Amino acid sequence: TKRHDIQKAEENLDEWVDKIQQIILNTKPDGWEVEHPELAFVPPKHKPMIIHECGKDRIIYVPTIEELWIQHVIVMILEPIILGGSYHHSYSSFPGRGAHKGKNALKRWIRSGKGVKYFAQCDIRHFYGHVQYRFVREKLARKIHDSFFLHLIDVCMMHFPKQLPLGFFLSQWMANFILQELDHSIKQELKIPNFLRYMDNLTLGSD
């Protein structure tokens, strides 16, 4: 990366590992005693940045190195939980998947000639900007019963109650998590034979 703060952290890696560990250990819900309350994680309020990408203006938020690091720690724990309930033709953000694999799946379906008479291509309008964290939190709490861990996620999202901030590593994982119900509904209730999803972009095929 070209980010100056990350380059500086790499030069003092052991020091930074200890710093992040102390931040996490001292970030607890109100009422819990911690050794160094002054070290608790308090994320800053970010100014949005507008970037022009693929013909669209996108509002993104650039996390600090502390935020980025803590979000990676969170995802290390969330990853097997979210992957365990994921639809196998969901291709965005998951390790070992991606647009190329999704394209290959579509090619296989088309070559087979089955379930491809009709196709629908759609996306969820302003998806990231409309996901309310309280709904994600409710679903997380059904699977995770560690109040300290959930509180750490709450702190990361404290300034974003009504959106998933583009630019946050955590956002793409929570996006996939909240859309799992939709995936299973399309396959099990609507029984669409050929369906794949790339984040909030959906492709459906049927005869």
Side-chain angles (χ1 to χ4, degrees):
T1 178
K2 294 179 180 178
R3 277 184 56 165
H4 179 69
D5 54 351
I6 295 179
Q7 290 176 353
K8 293 291 288 183
E10 286 181 336
E11 293 171 8
N12 302 281
L13 198 55
D14 290 342
E15 182 182 317
W16 268 91
V17 167
D18 183 62
K19 177 181 177 178
I20 298 298
Q21 185 181 39
Q22 288 302 313
I23 289 173
I24 292 172
L25 287 172
N26 286 283
T27 303
K28 298 287 188 291
D30 290 342
W32 286 88
E33 287 190 17
V34 292
E35 191 174 353
H36 296 288
E38 73 279 3
L39 296 180
F41 180 44
V42 181
K45 284 192 175 182
H46 291 279
K47 287 185 178 179
M49 291 177 57
I50 298 174
I51 61 168
H52 191 72
E53 185 180 72
C54 302
K56 294 181 181 179
D57 286 333
R58 298 185 188 277
I59 298 174
I60 67 162
Y61 299 86
V62 180
T64 65
I65 184 172
E66 289 89 351
E67 285 178 294
L68 194 59
W69 201 319
I70 288 167
Q71 288 178 30
H72 273 268
V73 171
I74 289 169
V75 168
M76 285 172 66
I77 297 165
L78 282 182
E79 184 177 321
I81 296 169
I82 295 176
L83 270 174
S86 72
Y87 172 51
H88 64 284
H89 284 303
S90 174
Y91 289 101
S92 177
S93 302
F94 291 135
R97 305 186 198 179
H100 186 69
K101 282 201 170 184
K103 183 180 75 172
N104 288 341
L106 271 176
K107 282 183 174 179
R108 287 195 302 272
W109 296 341
I110 292 167
R111 288 186 190 125
S112 76
K114 297 177 182 177
V116 293
K117 186 176 181 181
Y118 301 105
F119 266 94
Q121 172 69 41
C122 44
D123 67 9
I124 302 171
R125 181 172 170 81
H126 300 313
F127 170 65
Y128 275 86
H130 287 154
V131 177
Q132 295 192 33
Y133 175 63
R134 63 192 176 98
F135 295 119
V136 183
R137 179 60 155 78
E138 286 171 10
K139 286 174 65 67
L140 283 171
R142 288 184 215 137
K143 288 184 173 285
I144 298 165
H145 306 287
D146 184 324
S147 60
F148 292 159
F149 182 61
L150 288 170
H151 177 70
L152 191 61
I153 301 174
D154 292 343
V155 173
C156 288
M157 294 299 296
M158 67 186 296
H159 298 308
F160 300 98
K162 295 188 176 180
Q163 65 173 305
L164 295 179
L166 275 173
F168 275 33
F169 185 54
L170 192 53
S171 292
Q172 52 197 293
W173 283 88
M174 291 199 290
N176 270 322
F177 180 62
I178 201 73
L179 288 174
Q180 284 180 357
E181 258 179 73
L182 177 64
D183 294 339
H184 296 304
S185 178
I186 288 171
K187 288 300 294 182
Q188 295 166 15
E189 295 174 31
L190 300 181
K191 301 191 184 301
I192 302 296
N194 294 327
F195 161 59
L196 64 79
R197 179 172 62 79
Y198 191 86
M199 198 50 77
D200 62 319
N201 292 278
L202 300 88
T203 303
L204 306 91
S206 177
D207 287 334

